[in-house]
Amino acid sequence: NAGVMQNPRHLVRRRGQEARLRCSPMKGHSHVYWYRQLPEEGLKFMVYLQKENIIDESGMPKERFSAEFPKEGPSILRIQQVVRGDSAAYFCASSPDDAGTGNTIYFGEGSWLTVV
Amino acid sequence: RKEVEQDPGPFNVPEGATVAFNCTYSNSASQSFFWYRQDCRKEPKLLMSVYSSGNEDGRFTAQLNRASQYISLLIRDSKLSDSATYLCVVSSGAGSYQLTFGKGTKLSVIP
């Protein structure tokens, strides 16, 4: 049973480019979460999605960041016009039908974004 | 005051030692508490949940003091494989899904 799959694992973008990070939840999971970990910082909640719905985006920066979880396909975190401060590890997590707590969500291996 | 505070370490201990980590949280409405482990450039993985009654899993013991808003993790008989960063995690807010992570405490177990 495959875990949470994220790709790309590593991504390098120049300032001003766009970054797209993809996340496929565990089989049978319909809830997806994105977290960001800046260097030397703790993970910070960004957004919680169910299929075709954004449930909570209270942690998303107001500009340049967007997330979606379409009916078909993976969840996508999109960062437009990247800046150096966007360099971070972006972790996706998923949980089964009920919204997960810390012992029922599963993290992917992360996508490491470097902006040069 | 940060939401979840931990001593960043590093804690350098010899194999076989006992080591304790502490964590404080600021939101008194927090509902669930966890210790996660994160290896370098890897995802966080759940180590154990933390309950007021205290709980033990092998060499690991976790304790929660709600009155003091304090969480602890004790590792006995440290192994080289215990070397990692230990993250204190609190679930709070309107949605219990929203986890608040501490910055972590780095542990190095030395042969």
Side-chain angles (χ1 to χ4, degrees), chain A residues 56-68:
Chain A
D56 180 353
E57 56 181 349
S58 59
M60 288 280 270
K62 294 288 183 277
E63 297 177 345
R64 302 186 297 107
F65 284 71
S66 62
E68 62 176 6

Side-chain angles (χ1 to χ4, degrees), chain B residues 74-88:
Chain B
L74 184 77
I75 306 175
R76 290 180 298 279
D77 189 22
S78 300
K79 310 290 185 192
L80 294 176
S81 58
D82 294 334
S83 298
T85 297
Y86 290 82
L87 310 176
C88 179

Side-chain angles (χ1 to χ4, degrees), chain A residues 35 37 56 100-102 108 112, chain B residues 36 38 41 43 96-99:
Chain A
Y35 283 77
Q37 187 173 29
D56 180 353
T101 62
W112 266 259
Chain B
Y36 273 68
Q38 186 175 27
R41 295 187 70 81
E43 77 274 27
S96 60
Y97 52 81
Q98 199 174 116
L99 302 178

Side-chain angles (χ1 to χ4, degrees), chain A residues 26-92:
Chain A
M26 285 181 73
K27 188 176 179 181
H29 288 193
S30 58
H31 300 236
V32 166
Y33 316 83
W34 285 93
Y35 283 77
R36 176 167 71 170
Q37 187 173 29
L38 293 168
E40 307 302 321
E41 294 290 324
L43 278 78
K44 301 288 187 202
F45 169 81
M46 298 180 76
V47 62
Y48 164 32
L49 311 105
Q50 295 179 23
K51 284 284 187 182
E52 300 185 279
N53 285 307
I54 297 174
I55 307 302
D56 180 353
E57 56 181 349
S58 59
M60 288 280 270
K62 294 288 183 277
E63 297 177 345
R64 302 186 297 107
F65 284 71
S66 62
E68 62 176 6
F69 189 15
K71 187 176 179 182
E72 301 292 336
S75 174
I76 296 175
L77 180 68
R78 182 183 178 203
I79 312 171
Q80 295 179 289
Q81 298 176 313
V82 297
V83 300
R84 287 221 170 104
D86 296 333
S87 296
Y90 292 83
F91 290 100
C92 173

Side-chain angles (χ1 to χ4, degrees), chain B residues 3 14 17 25 27-28 35 63 77 80 93:
Chain B
E3 291 186 74
Y25 60 94
N27 186 348
S28 58
W35 283 102
Q63 197 78 40
D77 189 22
L80 294 176

